[in-house]
Amino acid sequence: MNIKGFKVNFLGDSITEGVGVVDRANCRYDKRLEKMCELSKTNNYGIGGTRLAHQQHASEKPRHDLCFCGRAYDMDKSADMVIVYGGVNDYIHGDAPFGKMGDTTPATFCGGVYFLMNYLRENYGNKPIIFMTPARCFLRKEVDDRLPSTHAKKTVPGKELLAYVDVILETAKKFNIPVLDLYRNLGIDPHDPQDFATYTADGLHFNDAGHGVLAQRLKEFIEAL
């Protein structure tokens, strides 16, 4: 797919916002993609700490409770493409139940993914919609994507990160939405000390170099569609 001249909405969390990036104007993944693909405009809707599903209990920072499903209503509907990158905060500290396939409301993670994909498909029609799954994350003793999160906010049992990844992949099939599986295909594993130091700011957020890898993978994915 050639997206030269497209206006693209990017809906995401702190990674899309650019936490960990020194030069956001040039090195954040959406701005890199803008230059590489000659986009006409990028709208960045990244807010750190946010989740796809609703939070049951208010966070200390109300901004963190502006879930993807609610913020989708405020995006520019004249955009030519929507790219959604999230789910890691649902895994780390979201207190909504994981839920099950067949859920349709943002009260659970599974339902939140369904609700968001359904909303975007209904409101953007046949315009390209792309989801990106959470990538690997390893914040030393705090978060290890191979294990369920033990964050204090997890008032209900969660699952390992791969379970959240696979819900996004499976739900997307219902809406014919292509998904870039960053967990398996980004090529950055923060459990590897060299990858941790070279591409991440802390094992979760990418640094400038990490955003370069992310942008390149996204570009290749789009071109192959």
Side-chain angles (χ1 to χ4, degrees):
M1 180 188 296
N2 183 355
I3 60 172
K4 180 178 179 179
F6 274 31
K7 176 166 58 173
V8 182
N9 290 342
F10 291 82
L11 178 61
D13 49 37
S14 55
I15 297 175
T16 298
E17 188 176 27
V19 172
V21 180
V22 174
D23 185 1
R24 294 187 182 185
N26 294 296
C27 294
R28 196 174 62 193
Y29 79 89
D30 61 316
K31 304 307 290 184
R32 287 178 184 264
L33 192 72
E34 181 177 341
K35 293 175 183 175
M36 291 190 296
C37 295
E38 299 181 60
L39 304 178
S40 63
K41 185 181 181 183
T42 53
N43 297 317
N44 189 297
Y45 297 100
I47 297 182
T50 56
R51 299 154 286 251
L52 273 75
H54 288 169
Q55 191 77 346
Q56 293 184 316
H57 304 90
S59 302
E60 292 85 354
K61 297 181 180 180
R63 190 167 181 261
H64 289 178
D65 294 336
L66 298 173
C67 72
F68 284 36
C69 291
R71 281 156 47 220
Y73 289 88
D74 299 325
M75 294 196 300
D76 181 357
K77 291 185 176 57
S78 71
D80 304 297
M81 171 183 272
V82 178
I83 297 175
V84 180
Y85 181 18
V88 73
N89 289 324
D90 295 85
Y91 157 70
I92 294 176
H93 51 67
D95 69 359
F98 182 81
K100 64 184 184 303
M101 297 299 293
D103 290 351
T104 59
T105 74
T108 69
F109 176 74
C110 292
V113 174
Y114 180 95
F115 182 94
L116 181 58
M117 289 185 177
N118 185 60
Y119 172 83
L120 294 176
R121 184 54 78 205
E122 287 184 346
N123 285 271
Y124 291 87
N126 291 323
K127 293 179 180 179
I129 299 167
I130 291 173
F131 271 63
M132 296 193 290
T133 74
R136 305 295 303 269
C137 59
F138 181 52
L139 279 74
R140 306 303 188 191
K141 295 181 179 180
E142 297 174 43
V143 175
D144 183 337
D145 62 50
R146 299 167 295 190
L147 305 170
S149 172
T150 58
H151 194 283
K153 290 286 186 183
K154 299 293 286 189
T155 54
V156 293
K159 298 178 181 290
E160 68 282 359
L161 181 58
L162 190 57
Y164 293 80
V165 168
D166 287 343
V167 164
I168 294 172
L169 288 163
E170 191 63 28
T171 307
K173 295 176 183 177
K174 302 178 186 296
F175 297 99
N176 195 28
I177 292 175
V179 179
L180 174 53
D181 185 351
L182 295 177
Y183 186 96
R184 296 177 175 94
N185 300 318
L186 179 59
I188 297 175
D189 184 356
H191 298 88
D192 180 328
Q194 176 128 10
D195 279 9
F196 187 103
T198 303
Y199 298 112
T200 84
D202 53 14
L204 169 63
H205 303 97
F206 301 111
N207 58 20
D208 295 42
H211 272 255
V213 175
L214 174 56
Q216 183 61 33
R217 295 287 182 275
L218 181 55
K219 175 178 180 288
E220 293 168 354
F221 184 78
I222 292 171
E223 288 177 342
L225 293 176

